Amino acid sequence: MWQPDFLFGAATASFQIEGSTAADGRHPSIWDTFCKVPGAVAHGDHGDVACDHYRRWETDLQLLSDIGLDAYRFSVSWSRVLHDDGRRNEKGIDFYKQLLDGLERRGLKSFLTLYHWDLPQHLQDRGGWLNRDTAYRFAEYADILSRELAGRVSTWTTLNEPFCSAYLGHTTGRHAPGLKDVRYGVEAMHHLLLGHGLATTAVRANDEAPVGLVANVTRMTPASDSARDRRAAELAYAHGNTWVLDPLLLGRYPAELAELWPTAKAPVRDGDMAIISTRTDYLGINYYFRSNVRSDGSHGYVEEDLPGVERTQMGWEVFPDGLRDLLIDFKNRYPGLPPIYITENGMASDDQPVAGRVVDEQRLRYFNTHLAAVDEAMRAGVPVKGYFAWSLLDNFEWAYGYEKRFGLVHVNYDTQQRTVKDSALALKAFLEARRRGA
Ligand code: IFM
């Protein structure tokens, strides 16, 4: 059922794994700053060492290759490759060139993300994503990097999960830069999406590889059959899914946003929506869980956890059918839906090695059931081209610090020892069988 050209990969992101935050002229990002805010990140964790991937990248690529995966999705640290005055940082760029060459040598495809939440701090000091100019700085960065790396990257991604950058970073304050205003979230989202459109054009001018955007999406179900709860689920769907996908694929924001946030309005200027909806070569979908919602009694929704369902270490419900349902929904909603990659899917569990082995049965079940859901969506005609597990390594899970372990590979943060988990060994056996045509 999994054709040889269907890609299996694993994903990571720069700030979550690289460490070496002051090496080779790297500048601080908003996450370096945020980690220093008392109480912002669990246990005061930070990215200074993380998985030490900046120095151990060769070992990590070898792990990926040994598991038998086809592709690696990673992100570039903007603050590593450009100085604050916009000049190239050759050492930072060389790091990613080496990484790409290492992937090439191992016959692995490279999925490079330009922005996975780590905005250079000097841009935040000038307003960050609340400043329209940041969209243009992002396009400049995309232009420079795509000139440097043209011909080496299999697939480009502009933004990873703009929902999280905009909403968690600017409305709830759970993520860097820690702002808390519904209007900020809406403004930041518009500038992120504008940056996506501008960066897409910049990359396309320099390289032939496909360019797209990665969105996190959530299955929303109403807590009851009442009209109010059903409306609440529609509002949640707009918030969690179409806030990004409609502008990207239809060139307009969903009408529900005005009902959800009557006081917030995206700062749209003439021509912006055409830039944002510039043709995208593929759509990356990150899926983790379902939210069950009920009306808040006004024009919004509140989440209501269902009792007795399976959950992960994050407390997220395991709900594979949601992935299938969303994919089929997107196919129906967006005529000409581009090819899709599942760019993240996975779960955290409190894994610990015992006698050199990490038994993570729940993760293996999670992968199996979610892959079955992807298969069902493909049979229903959704053009899914690949699946990336989140994550290759246990890593810095943002405001949760290092406690939550999402990796195929366990990382001991004291010794930096890597232990391949049982789920990864099972994946390896499956990929070997696929190669043999079994
Ligand atoms: O760790 C994150 C990742 O950076 C973005 N998508 C969700 C993952 C799990 O929370």
Side-chain angles (χ1 to χ4, degrees), residues 368-388:
N368 279 333
T369 51
H370 285 77
L371 280 167
V374 172
D375 181 53
E376 284 171 27
M378 287 165 71
R379 287 174 200 272
V382 184
V384 186
K385 305 292 176 203
Y387 173 96
F388 290 77

Side-chain angles (χ1 to χ4, degrees), residues 44-65:
D45 287 349
H46 51 71
D48 293 2
V49 178
C51 306
D52 199 21
H53 173 80
Y54 190 68
R55 299 188 308 156
R56 294 170 195 259
W57 61 271
E58 190 99 53
T59 310
D60 294 337
L61 294 197
Q62 197 51 46
L63 283 166
L64 189 86
S65 166

Side-chain angles (χ1 to χ4, degrees), residues 350-370:
D350 184 17
D351 305 316
Q352 297 305 332
V354 177
R357 185 170 166 204
V358 179
V359 178
D360 58 339
E361 282 161 3
Q362 193 189 10
R363 180 170 293 102
L364 181 56
R365 271 202 318 278
Y366 187 99
F367 287 145
N368 279 333
T369 51
H370 285 77

Side-chain angles (χ1 to χ4, degrees), residues 16 116-117 160-161 286 288 316 344 390 397-398 406:
Q16 293 180 273
H116 196 123
W117 309 352
N160 177 72
E161 302 183 354
N286 294 354
Y288 288 92
W316 295 346
E344 285 181 29
W390 182 268
E397 178 53 23
W398 308 110
F406 276 91

